[in-house]
Amino acid sequence: MIGIDLGTTNSLVAVCDENGPRVLANELGEDLTPSVIAVAEDGTMLVGRAARDRLISAPESGRAFFKRDMGTNAGYQFGGRRWTPVECSALVLREMKRIAEVHLGREIDSAVITVPAFFHDQQRQATVDAAKIAGLKVERLLNEPTAAALAYGYNRQDELSTLLVFDLGGGTFDVTVLECFEGVVEVKASSGDGRLGGEDYTDAFATWVAKELGYTAPKEQEMKWRNTLEHLKRRLSVEETVEVQIGVKAAPVSRIDFIEATKHITARLWPAVRRALSDAQLTPKQIEAVLLVGGASRMPAVQDMVQRDLGQEPQRSLDPDRVVALGAAVQQALCAGGAAVKDLVLTDVCPHSLGVEVSKALLPGHVQPGYFDPILDRNTTVPVSRSRTYCTMHPQQDEALLKVYQGESRLTKDNHLIGQVRIPGLRSTPGQEKGGVFDVRFTYDMNGILEVEVTILSSQKKLTEVFEQRPGTMSQEQIAEALRKLTPLKVHPREAPANRARLERAQRLFAELVGLLRESLSHELDLFEAALATQDSKLITTAAERLDAFMRPYFANED
Ligand code: AMP
């Protein structure tokens, strides 16, 4: 078993043994593998850095940020077919599995996978489907901030503390309040925004540049321009001013400009923190440590906000990029009963309220449908099982349609429909007790997946096969079909991922350079391709080293 952080921007894989958790690097020696897939010119499937580089020169050849579409019916067209977010995620998961197999020298068939705490049921189910396609059984879906707290708690099993995990990733924002004492990590509350992250900062920056500096990239240059802005954004986390190169002009942009351009996004962070604190019934003063997680929490404006509003310096002992994967590995060891973590216990909460739709008789004779009746309140400790009793509107009514919703609004139209159950056999016969009355039991497990059981009280008939037809989730046949479609895309053994990545990078640089430099690169590239053709590992290594040395200065900022 392994722990996988399947991120919007990057993914990581980790293991935990008696020496503690550690992240496993990919063939390029990097811990972070971009969550990007693309199809190369020759039809080879690319995952990771090679894919990201390919998207810069050929934006239509693949896809990034598909995690944002998990659990929806989104589709992307590239490589001559349509791809779903689940299939794209499956390829990244399969790559993580492969990296772990190379390190550990054995086959891996199950994993703990992290998801944003705010992922709803369909998004979780989509993640489980992606894992199945990748050939992995999901041992546990673990909320990302909980994973971070586990990694933190691993080293401090005998200290008591109340923690706040502030997790701002590429596409999602999660806040979680936890208590750690004597090896027990207990989640008190969690809150967040499923569509708020570092990428929104890049978008806002692009909008600002368009308005203030009058430049918008033409369609075919969009990926490249975004990449440029992404790097400037990161540099602004450490430098006071950077220069934006637009054609032959260079315009200075200060950190203050960036903060101003993105302040409407930063303003969306605090309400989630406030809600998590109030659900946990704590004040900022009662928080003993703040953990920052996710690459976007590196931005000074975000750190300043945390420090100012929570009144304390955030913890810096754990790397925000790696902490979630490390925690997933600790959880993996917990599931496997590893000796390294025998004293650690975890309890989690369900992040959303879950309930059903009901009608209310607000005035006599006037029934108003569309109200949300929560059965499980948000931030209830899981695993949990709770039931409520409902009855039909009319004694002659034979059937009811039970609609299950997730959310916090009073009206179901503002919440998220996650499934429905048709309940037949409810008609009440004269003299019958409990006619038209039924129990609805919600059971929410540690993976954040909901099971609904309906019991008709008059007949004691039970219905449990509820969510099999949830929209967005895949049937066994669909999973088998997706597997079949992905199989021909197996990476050719000659096409070692490191060499593919090198070729994509060289191609991308080739598109950027002109004149003599381009010719020199072309020469190095020819030598490398010739070496690959010989399949002689010594020749390949020498040619690869030459090519890398040529390219290094151009990518010094990126890696
Ligand atoms: P994650 O999903 O945790 O990998 O987060 C990646 C996000 O963090 C992306 O949106 C990055 O642009 C952002 N990010 C990473 N490093 C930095 C940095 N030094 N400054 C600002 N944003 C960063």
Side-chain angles (χ1 to χ4, degrees), residues 4 15 20 26 89 95 106 214 275 317 367 401 445 496 502 528:
I4 299 176
V15 286
N26 61 26
S89 299
E95 179 68 5
R106 59 188 150 80
R275 191 158 88 161
S317 58
V367 171
L401 185 65
D445 69 6
R502 192 170 276 126
F528 180 57

Side-chain angles (χ1 to χ4, degrees), residues 5 7-12 32 65 67 167-171 197-200 202 230 233-238 258 293-300 320-321:
D5 169 5
T8 308
T9 322
N10 295 298
S11 294
L12 298 89
L32 280 72
F65 308 127
K67 180 175 171 181
D167 179 357
L168 190 60
E199 302 309 325
D200 297 290
T202 312
E230 166 72 28
K233 173 184 88 169
R234 289 183 192 219
R235 277 178 53 202
L236 283 169
S237 293
V238 281
F258 179 79
V293 181
S297 70
R298 289 210 167 89
M299 282 181 287
D321 286 327

Side-chain angles (χ1 to χ4, degrees), residues 12-248:
L12 298 89
V13 55
V15 286
C16 185
D17 54 24
E18 57 288 355
N19 300 320
R22 69 195 150 94
V23 174
L24 306 174
N26 61 26
E27 272 97 342
L28 305 171
E30 294 163 359
D31 287 354
L32 280 72
T33 300
S35 305
V36 182
I37 70 163
V39 178
E41 254 165 295
D42 63 2
T44 314
M45 203 63 223
L46 305 174
V47 182
R49 197 179 85 184
R52 193 185 64 194
D53 280 345
R54 169 123 178 102
L55 282 202
I56 290 171
S57 49
E60 304 300 321
S61 67
R63 190 74 195 189
F65 308 127
F66 34 81
K67 180 175 171 181
R68 286 187 153 188
D69 294 331
M70 285 293 266
T72 70
N73 293 325
Y76 326 115
Q77 193 65 41
F78 60 88
R81 56 167 278 214
R82 184 178 181 274
W83 295 77
T84 64
V86 170
E87 287 173 316
C88 297
S89 299
L91 281 171
V92 174
L93 288 173
R94 194 167 75 181
E95 179 68 5
M96 295 296 109
K97 168 171 144 76
R98 199 189 58 74
I99 292 170
E101 286 172 345
V102 169
H103 274 273
L104 305 174
R106 59 188 150 80
E107 206 183 318
I108 307 282
D109 57 9
S110 60
V112 167
I113 301 177
T114 58
V115 288
F118 246 64
F119 251 22
H120 56 62
D121 190 64
Q122 272 159 31
Q123 293 166 305
R124 286 169 196 266
Q125 197 61 53
T127 309
V128 173
D129 289 344
K132 277 192 206 151
I133 297 172
L136 286 170
K137 175 172 167 283
V138 177
E139 212 54 48
R140 170 80 43 95
L141 287 180
L142 181 65
N143 290 336
E144 286 162 10
T146 313
L150 269 181
Y152 181 80
Y154 177 81
N155 292 323
R156 295 171 185 75
Q157 291 185 21
D158 37 290
E159 283 171 38
L160 167 77
S161 63
T162 306
L163 290 182
L164 185 138
V165 180
F166 183 100
D167 179 357
L168 190 60
T172 53
F173 174 48
D174 276 326
V175 186
T176 304
V177 178
L178 308 101
E179 240 163 43
C180 303
F181 56 96
E182 293 173 350
V184 176
V185 178
E186 185 174 345
V187 180
K188 289 285 173 197
S190 92
S191 155
D193 188 331
R195 286 188 108 52
L196 176 60
E199 302 309 325
D200 297 290
Y201 280 84
T202 312
D203 288 345
F205 189 30
T207 309
W208 183 86
V209 171
K211 185 158 164 268
E212 297 295 322
L213 308 178
Y215 179 76
T216 317
K219 186 101 188 83
E220 65 283 0
Q221 298 267 323
E222 261 171 19
M223 275 301 280
K224 190 162 171 236
W225 180 237
R226 199 183 161 80
N227 204 40
T228 307
L229 293 177
E230 166 72 28
H231 286 108
L232 290 172
K233 173 184 88 169
R234 289 183 192 219
R235 277 178 53 202
L236 283 169
S237 293
V238 281
E239 294 167 42
E240 290 298 333
T241 333
V242 295
E243 287 202 330
V244 186
Q245 195 73 37
I246 298 170
V248 288

Side-chain angles (χ1 to χ4, degrees), residues 509-519:
L509 184 59
F510 186 88
E512 279 171 30
L513 296 180
V514 285
L516 261 178
L517 284 173
R518 185 180 234 185
E519 261 175 51

